Amino acid sequence: MTAVIATVAAGAEAWRYGLLLASRSGALAAGTVAASDMAVAGAGWFATVLGLLAGALVVRWSVQAQQAAAARGGRLPSRSARAVVLGWVIPGVNLSVPGSVLAEIEHGALDRPVEGRPRPSWLVLLWWVLWVTGLLLAAVVLAWSFRSGVQAMADGVVLHAVLDLVAAATAVVTALVVQRLTRLLGPPRAVRREVLVAVHPPATRRSRPRNPLRSAS
């Protein structure tokens, strides 16, 4: 849902950018401008609320998954639950800690040696790149909002749209990462096999005995 609403928000920003270009050559209808503003504001706030809710669930899951991965390898977690939570929310620190936590979870879930260094898979690396890109881009958008002027406004709309698309991609990859690591940490599923118990030969039709009187005649 977060990915869908973030994509809608990106579309609303693209609509606003188109109206800005159209306003250079003529006046715009008040209803169209109002609808665009409502779409941008509504989708933006909805995406923010869903993103925060999804983020809280992912943080909670990461704490439990880290503990499960450590218990699987017979060791203590490398970070406390408080350190994991703070690593997600403290600016600057959240550029590295979340990716490291996911890499450690994956390392333990794959039953790799405890003394070995975690080597994240391409999926975790992709998530890490999207996560860092989104955080840095969010900081740029925040700083850009203090600029004034028509060109700065237009550039800000483009930056918002790109940020929404990055957020949508991050939400999708987050769901894939959580699903994969949860399956690796979960108990193995029993494989159902069909066992051959017995073989019954096909029934044959018995021929009827001939009538002796008819055969004699």
Side-chain angles (χ1 to χ4, degrees), residues 146-190:
F146 294 101
R147 299 187 61 180
S148 59
V150 178
Q151 186 60 44
M153 182 182 300
D155 294 340
V157 171
V158 174
L159 289 174
H160 274 92
V162 174
L163 178 60
D164 290 333
L165 292 177
V166 172
T170 304
V172 172
V173 177
T174 300
L176 295 176
V177 170
V178 170
Q179 183 182 31
R180 177 176 181 271
L181 296 184
T182 301
R183 286 181 177 178
L184 291 175
L185 288 171
R189 297 181 179 179

Side-chain angles (χ1 to χ4, degrees), residues 200-208:
H200 299 283
T204 58
R205 296 182 60 185
R206 296 181 179 179
S207 60
R208 296 181 179 180

Side-chain angles (χ1 to χ4, degrees), residues 47-61:
T48 301
V49 172
L50 285 177
L52 292 175
L53 178 60
L57 294 176
V58 171
V59 171
R60 180 182 179 183
W61 168 87

Side-chain angles (χ1 to χ4, degrees), residues 8 12 17 47 64 73 104 115 118 137 139-140 157 189 207 209:
V8 173
Y17 186 79
Q64 298 176 347
E104 292 173 1
E115 63 277 3
L137 190 57
V140 173
V157 171
R189 297 181 179 179
S207 60

